[in-house]
Amino acid sequence: MKFCSQCGGSLVQRIPDGDNRLRHVCTSCHAIHYQNPRIVAGCLPTWGEQVLLCRRAIHPRRGYWTLPAGFMENGETMEQAASRETLEEACARVRDLRLYTLFDLPHISQVYTFFLAELVDLDFSAGDESLEVRLFHEQEIPWAELAFPTVGRTLECYFADRVGQVFPVRNEPIAPLLAHYKKT
Amino acid sequence: MKFCSQCGGSLVQRIPDGDNRLRHVCTSCHAIHYQNPRIVAGCLPTWGEQVLLCRRAIHPRRGYWTLPAGFMENGETMEQAASRETLEEACARVRDLRLYTLFDLPHISQVYTFFLAELVDLDFSAGDESLEVRLFHEQEIPWAELAFPTVGRTLECYFADRVGQVFPVRNEPIAPLLAHYKKT
């Protein structure tokens, strides 16, 4: 971030009066440009005993399996974002969405959330960002080929919670990817 | 948003290839500038039967009562943001934070979340953004003088849930402020 998006002036980093953090401040119009964490929202779509995963057609982690998810847009709710991403990536319609996991990823300034949801029907297919979309039974999950720790942790919680049919909302931090994949 | 923060070039609004939304795109370096919802995080600090509220020293809603909360910063977790805001606005330390409410405010592109928390001690006072900080019993809550619907709804849920001592995480959308305050 080098230029002011309001006036085109040069930015410097300084701590504004009454603040305690470095911000990008315009040397010309003095606008302060804050940067804040972004929300990624997605679904864990289920069909009876099976769950739906997508194989990523895009970087990062191309070729790895993921739950449908993406950046929440202005003007929508988290649930709408999760539902929209499921439609875009898996061409799948879901219902009965329930907030389930919320992961803090402070090292990349993201909050990553998944909703439990039921597939409306079996009419799904790979969207533009997916190579393949399919249903998996628990014993078929490609644990070593999951794209992100948030996906693995959500599936892990789901299969554990499913035993007792109680699905409490979980909020946990997740360590940097490196710590998870250092052996691969 | 008029100028590119990377190169200072002029921005236009157009739908980039492979996208389906208008974005600010640089006519010079072609950078796409996404805008995403922001997270506000705060606490409902409790001390026995009482809850802590702050009277706002800043706009909007100056003079009205609120729970301590503010914009989540890059590099922190939601819980850290909630704890930090409680320290900044009420000079209060809290422990045992538990995620409690998450409100979608799509009309202002915010997600507003509160954690239940216990005050560590009674050593609290008004921070820079507060006129006054005090504890309230349920029957003392100034319902008509609360700053935001998210605050009122969180308190309402809390006093209802407290009866059975079960505090499920709640995710709800909240309508524009106008609908709540149209009579005032």
Side-chain angles (χ1 to χ4, degrees):
Chain A
M1 207 184 249
K2 295 176 188 169
F3 298 94
C4 178
S5 58
Q6 290 180 25
C7 80
S10 297
L11 298 180
V12 289
Q13 286 204 56
R14 68 174 181 83
I15 300 174
D17 292 344
D19 201 341
N20 52 21
R21 285 170 194 255
L22 279 175
R23 311 284 181 187
H24 290 96
V25 181
C26 180
T27 55
S28 177
C29 76
H30 309 297
I32 303 169
H33 298 277
Y34 297 93
Q35 292 183 293
N36 299 92
R38 293 199 291 176
I39 299 171
V40 177
C43 281
L44 194 172
T46 62
W47 179 261
E49 294 288 299
Q50 300 175 89
V51 301
L52 180 141
L53 297 178
C54 307
R55 201 152 69 85
R56 287 172 64 82
I58 54 170
H59 290 288
R61 306 288 287 166
R62 187 176 194 278
Y64 286 78
W65 291 92
T66 190
L67 294 166
F71 286 111
M72 183 177 174
E73 299 277 4
N74 278 355
E76 64 185 2
T77 64
M78 292 194 297
E79 184 175 320
Q80 286 167 345
S83 187
R84 175 183 51 74
E85 289 289 343
T86 305
L87 185 62
E88 287 177 5
E89 298 187 0
C91 304
R93 281 143 298 278
V94 285
R95 66 181 167 206
D96 298 336
L97 282 75
R98 297 163 54 184
L99 184 69
Y100 185 44
T101 50
L102 282 125
F103 302 106
D104 294 289
L105 291 88
H107 54 289
I108 52 172
S109 295
Q110 287 181 8
V111 172
Y112 217 111
T113 183
F114 286 105
F115 286 76
L116 290 182
E118 288 177 20
L119 284 168
V120 170
D121 54 42
L122 290 175
D123 180 19
F124 57 77
S125 60
D128 287 345
E129 298 182 3
S130 305
L131 296 169
E132 186 183 351
V133 176
R134 56 161 284 207
L135 293 171
F136 290 84
H137 284 281
E138 181 177 357
Q139 62 276 18
E140 297 170 327
I141 299 287
W143 295 102
E145 291 162 46
L146 296 180
F148 307 112
T150 53
V151 171
R153 181 65 184 141
T154 297
L155 290 169
E156 192 174 76
C157 292
Y158 174 69
F159 292 122
D161 290 344
R162 192 170 71 172
V163 177
Q165 286 293 304
V166 179
F167 302 93
V169 177
R170 294 159 183 273
N171 174 220
E172 306 173 356
I174 280 201
L177 206 63
L178 193 64
H180 288 267
Y181 293 104
K182 61 188 173 190
K183 285 174 190 160
T184 66
Chain B
M1 205 185 253
K2 294 177 186 167
F3 299 93
C4 178
S5 58
Q6 291 179 25
C7 79
S10 297
L11 298 180
V12 289
Q13 286 205 56
R14 68 174 181 81
I15 301 175
D17 293 344
D19 202 340
N20 52 21
R21 285 169 194 256
L22 279 176
R23 311 284 183 188
H24 290 96
V25 181
C26 180
T27 55
S28 178
C29 76
H30 310 296
I32 303 168
H33 298 276
Y34 297 94
Q35 293 182 293
N36 299 90
R38 292 197 292 175
I39 299 171
V40 178
C43 282
L44 193 172
T46 62
W47 179 260
E49 293 289 299
Q50 300 175 88
V51 301
L52 178 143
L53 297 177
C54 306
R55 202 152 69 86
R56 287 173 64 83
I58 54 170
H59 290 288
R61 306 289 286 164
R62 186 175 194 279
Y64 287 77
W65 291 93
T66 190
L67 293 165
F71 286 111
M72 184 178 173
E73 300 277 3
N74 277 355
E76 64 185 2
T77 64
M78 293 193 296
E79 183 175 319
Q80 287 166 346
S83 186
R84 175 183 52 72
E85 289 290 343
T86 305
L87 186 62
E88 287 177 4
E89 298 187 359
C91 303
R93 280 143 299 276
V94 284
R95 66 181 166 205
D96 298 336
L97 282 74
R98 298 163 55 184
L99 184 69
Y100 186 45
T101 51
L102 280 125
F103 302 105
D104 293 289
L105 292 88
H107 55 289
I108 51 171
S109 295
Q110 287 182 8
V111 171
Y112 217 111
T113 184
F114 285 105
F115 286 75
L116 290 181
E118 289 177 20
L119 284 170
V120 170
D121 53 42
L122 290 175
D123 180 20
F124 58 77
S125 58
D128 287 345
E129 298 183 2
S130 304
L131 295 170
E132 186 183 351
V133 176
R134 56 161 281 206
L135 293 171
F136 290 84
H137 284 282
E138 182 176 358
Q139 62 274 19
E140 298 170 326
I141 299 287
W143 293 102
E145 292 161 47
L146 295 181
F148 307 112
T150 52
V151 171
R153 181 67 184 138
T154 297
L155 290 170
E156 191 173 76
C157 292
Y158 174 69
F159 293 123
D161 290 344
R162 192 170 69 171
V163 176
Q165 286 292 304
V166 179
F167 302 93
V169 177
R170 294 160 183 273
N171 174 219
E172 305 174 357
I174 280 201
L177 206 64
L178 194 63
H180 288 265
Y181 293 104
K182 62 187 173 190
K183 286 174 188 160
T184 65

